[in-house]
């Protein structure tokens, strides 16, 4: 394996080694040489795949755990991460979380078909699924006592039956529609159900399984379950709430 050039002066995974490009020859040189981009720290060995002249993908490995595994980022981003910085996407999300949210155009708002209140702005919208938690009852029981045969293959049970009914929470799909996040509220417009949640009424935002955004609301016993890109949607709503609190 022959080194050809340095790709990243500092490895973004171990923060110690240098990521270099190597020329790897095949067995007996029958298939020519191939490129390998790898950290020279033997304890790390992080390997990258070139996706373009300016972008590398971090190949997942059992040797380490890294939140950027499988991601393709520009070399500038990898250099920034190696020095303790963030990727472009993380910087964008950080700005949103701090209250610097995007604003939809007038044409986009018209296409949504909603009437905005005075001073209201649409920050984001998208297709989601609305689910609700319902209690489902199930009955479990057993028979006690002997069985008497009265004919071939026919038995009569004697004794008593003991049964217990239990209720279990279960998520059920209610509707599919559009979730709209504004600087004043969160709206859902579906085929069968629609609702509005004022930002000031939101008491908690939780993410479950990356897809389920759970919105708890003041004065409402049941939480709303929104199936979407939950981490990103949570950041958008949190940013809108932060702006509301600072007004």
């Amino acid at each position: 394996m022959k080194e050809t050039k340095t790709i990243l002066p500092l490895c973004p995974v171990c923060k110690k080694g240098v990521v270099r490009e190597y020329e790897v020859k095949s067995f007996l040189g029958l298939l020519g040489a191939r490129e390998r981009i790898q950290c020279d720290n033997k304890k790390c060995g992080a390997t990258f795949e070139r996706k373009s002249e300016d972008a590398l993908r971090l190949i997942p490995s059992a040797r380490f755990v890294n939140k950027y595994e499988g991601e393709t980022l520009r070399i500038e981003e990898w250099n920034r991460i190696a020095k303790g910085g963030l990727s472009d996407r993380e910087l964008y999300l950080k700005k949103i979380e701090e209250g610097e949210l995007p604003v939809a155009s007038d044409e986009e708002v018209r296409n949504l078909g909603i009437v905005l209140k005075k001073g209201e702005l649409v920050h984001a919208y998208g297709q989601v699924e609305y689910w609700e938690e319902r209690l489902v009852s199930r009955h479990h029981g057993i028979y006690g006592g002997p069985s008497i045969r009265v004919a071939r293959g026919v038995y009569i049970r004697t004794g008593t039956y003991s049964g217990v009914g239990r209720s279990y929470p279960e998520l059920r799909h209610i509707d599919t529609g559009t979730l709209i996040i504004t600087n004043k509220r969160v709206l859902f417009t579906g085929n069968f159900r629609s609702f509005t949640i004022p930002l000031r009424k939101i008491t908690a935002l939780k993410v479950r399984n990356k897809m389920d955004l759970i919105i708890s609301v003041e004065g409402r016993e049941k939480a709303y379950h929104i199936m979407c890109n939950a981490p990103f949607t949570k950041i958008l709503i949190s940013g809108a709430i932060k702006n509301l609190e600072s007004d």
Side-chain angles (χ1 to χ4, degrees):
M1 190 165 70
K2 179 184 176 183
E3 179 191 337
T4 58
K5 61 181 178 180
T6 297
I7 303 297
L8 300 172
L10 186 63
C11 176
V13 177
C14 67
K15 309 288 196 299
K16 294 179 180 179
V18 177
V19 177
R20 305 181 189 275
E21 181 181 271
Y22 298 92
E23 186 181 87
V24 183
K25 291 184 178 180
S26 62
F27 181 67
L28 299 179
L30 297 176
L31 299 176
R34 59 186 177 85
E35 171 192 83
R36 177 183 293 176
I37 301 173
Q38 191 172 27
C39 175
D40 64 2
N41 180 0
K42 292 182 179 180
K43 292 183 178 180
C44 174
T47 305
F48 295 79
E49 176 189 2
R50 188 181 292 281
K51 303 301 286 186
S52 70
E53 190 63 32
D54 189 42
L56 302 173
R57 174 180 174 268
L58 176 59
I59 298 174
S61 171
R63 296 182 64 180
F64 57 81
V65 177
N66 188 281
K67 66 178 181 178
Y68 299 106
E69 284 182 40
E71 286 202 30
T72 298
L73 303 174
R74 295 181 301 112
I75 288 177
E76 180 186 337
E77 292 178 83
W78 287 123
N79 283 327
R80 193 190 306 145
I81 291 165
K83 296 174 183 177
L86 302 172
S87 68
D88 289 348
R89 180 175 180 275
E90 287 172 315
L91 288 172
Y92 174 68
L93 293 179
K94 187 180 179 182
K95 285 183 178 180
I96 290 176
E97 208 163 11
E98 291 172 350
E100 193 176 321
L101 281 77
V103 177
S105 67
D106 292 341
E107 184 179 353
E108 288 176 298
V109 174
R110 282 195 297 272
N111 291 335
L112 289 172
I114 62 169
V115 178
L116 297 179
K117 299 178 180 180
K118 185 178 180 181
E120 189 171 20
L121 302 171
V122 173
H123 291 309
Y125 58 90
Q127 289 295 302
V128 301
E129 291 182 358
Y130 169 48
W131 292 58
E132 278 186 1
E133 193 173 85
R134 301 281 178 88
L135 284 178
V136 180
S137 297
R138 291 189 177 92
H139 201 75
H140 303 274
I142 57 172
Y143 279 99
S147 297
I148 301 174
R149 184 186 184 204
V150 295
R152 185 177 180 180
V154 180
Y155 293 83
I156 295 176
R157 289 185 181 274
T158 63
T160 60
Y161 172 82
S162 177
V164 178
R166 291 184 178 177
S167 296
Y168 301 87
E170 182 178 276
L171 280 180
R172 289 192 175 181
H173 177 252
I174 303 301
D175 205 352
T176 299
T178 303
L179 188 75
I180 304 168
I181 302 167
T182 79
N183 59 335
K184 296 182 182 293
R185 52 189 172 149
V186 175
L187 304 90
F188 174 81
T189 57
N191 297 316
F192 310 106
R193 294 282 293 275
S194 296
F195 57 79
T196 298
I197 308 172
L199 294 179
R200 295 187 186 278
K201 293 278 188 180
I202 295 175
T203 57
L205 294 167
K206 296 180 182 178
V207 173
R208 184 167 63 186
N209 300 328
K210 295 185 179 181
M211 291 293 293
D212 183 7
L213 177 63
I214 306 169
I215 306 176
S216 298
V217 179
E218 179 186 325
R220 191 177 196 270
E221 185 178 347
K222 290 183 180 180
Y224 294 94
H225 289 261
I226 308 298
M227 299 300 166
C228 57
N229 181 341
F232 182 55
T233 307
K234 178 186 176 183
I235 288 173
L236 285 165
I237 297 174
S238 297
I241 292 173
K242 185 178 180 66
N243 280 346
L244 195 69
E245 291 171 347
S246 62
D247 288 345

